[in-house]
Amino acid sequence: MLASLLFKANFLELIPKSMTENISQDEQLGAAIGAIPAGLFILTSQQNDKTGTMLASWVQQAGFNPPSITFAIAKGRAFEEFVTVGSPIMVNIAAKGDGKVIGHFAKGFAPDVDPFAGVEIGTAASGQNYINSAIAYLDTTVTDSFDAGDHRIVLATIHSGAKINDGESAVHIRKNGFKY
């Protein structure tokens, strides 16, 4: 028994102290959830002479036929008023290294400010604007949404889209999965 205790004591000396410090379960879980890779997307919608935008990281293909996506939106965000069944949503897939445009849309906008000011845009057949520097855009319509605690999961059908630039999509990895 004494030999076993001595072995354990000597073994523990070999382990770096940082590996033996107590890390809470929430910190461990937050780090694990944060390791889930996500893209960066700029969602836009023009309705009733107003434009809403949102930088999003939780967007995922949801179906083949009809082609569809889901995205998550925090409850209470200003963009939420643009997200009802039948609403048009343009999904701009941000390019890796396009920090200028990502930063522009990350700051959010007051209702009376044109979010596209200073940004090169094109117009899809639906009349919705897309961002010219994006890797691609998807022109969608909201078909449903579901409660997910502090967020809503939105299902949208893709009607059209195009890959408009070469390059890689921006990817976002969070240090803590419990916050953006």
Side-chain angles (χ1 to χ4, degrees):
M1 174 132 162
L2 181 59
S4 175
L5 290 173
L6 288 173
F7 174 78
K8 185 175 181 182
N10 289 333
F11 179 74
L12 289 175
E13 288 178 16
L14 298 174
I15 299 174
K17 189 164 186 128
S18 63
M19 290 179 65
T20 61
E21 292 175 358
N22 284 341
I23 298 175
S24 76
Q25 180 62 34
D26 284 348
E27 289 173 315
Q28 290 179 32
L29 182 57
I33 294 170
I36 299 170
L40 287 174
F41 309 85
I42 299 157
L43 306 184
T44 66
S45 184
Q46 295 158 285
Q47 303 174 46
N48 305 319
D49 297 321
K50 295 190 324 187
T51 300
T53 65
M54 179 180 95
L55 180 65
S57 59
W58 297 345
V59 176
Q60 187 66 43
Q61 183 176 351
F64 295 123
N65 188 15
S68 56
I69 58 150
T70 57
F71 64 88
I73 181 170
K75 291 177 180 175
R77 275 188 90 163
F79 191 68
E80 196 173 18
E81 75 176 89
F82 291 87
V83 183
T84 58
V85 172
S87 295
I89 305 290
M90 183 64 73
V91 179
N92 296 276
I93 302 170
K96 180 180 181 179
D98 196 2
K100 182 178 177 186
V101 169
I102 293 168
H104 175 79
F105 286 96
K107 66 183 178 183
F109 300 93
D112 59 337
V113 174
D114 177 9
F116 295 118
V119 177
E120 291 186 36
I121 59 172
T123 304
S126 67
Q128 293 291 310
N129 291 335
Y130 60 86
I131 300 167
N132 286 344
S133 66
I135 293 290
Y137 70 85
L138 303 171
D139 200 355
T140 74
T141 301
V142 174
T143 52
D144 208 346
S145 69
F146 313 91
D147 185 65
D150 59 354
H151 283 71
R152 292 209 52 83
I153 305 301
V154 179
L155 177 66
T157 300
I158 302 167
H159 301 291
S160 66
K163 186 162 192 284
I164 53 177
N165 289 298
D166 291 329
E168 295 179 40
S169 302
V171 176
H172 179 59
I173 305 290
R174 296 171 293 142
K175 291 181 181 175
N176 183 336
F178 290 117
K179 56 187 172 183
Y180 295 115

